[in-house]
Amino acid sequence: PGVILSALMILIYQGLITLAAGLVAPILTDPNILQMSAVGGATIIGIGLNMLGATKIRVGNLLPAIFLPIAYVPIAAWISSLL
């Protein structure tokens, strides 16, 4: 019974993730994904520097920055079209 209930919960969980991905797909264009990957890479560099003891960057506070390109990319494209 435990395995069956676990399988049911995983089915629900993964189903919700799949449905959410379908809703978010139109927003996540290639430039957005590229910029979000760049922010994620910078965050990983910060984590590595913290592990080396070179800095004390509070990386957890910077996690919301991963979602900023969703607003930044369309605004930057609009401004560049005006120029």
Side-chain angles (χ1 to χ4, degrees):
V3 173
I4 292 172
L5 291 176
S6 297
L8 181 64
M9 291 308 296
I10 289 175
L11 178 68
I12 292 170
Y13 185 69
Q14 288 183 348
L16 289 175
I17 290 174
T18 303
L19 290 175
L23 294 173
V24 176
I27 298 170
L28 294 178
T29 61
D30 286 338
N32 279 348
I33 293 172
L34 182 68
Q35 294 295 324
M36 291 173 80
S37 295
V39 172
T43 305
I44 291 172
I45 290 172
I47 291 170
L49 290 172
N50 283 347
M51 289 175 69
L52 289 172
T55 61
K56 294 234 181 212
I57 299 171
R58 301 179 106 192
V59 180
N61 291 339
L62 302 176
L63 288 177
I66 292 175
F67 301 105
L68 286 178
I70 294 173
Y72 169 75
V73 170
I75 291 171
W78 178 67
I79 290 173
S80 67
S81 70
L82 292 176
L83 301 175

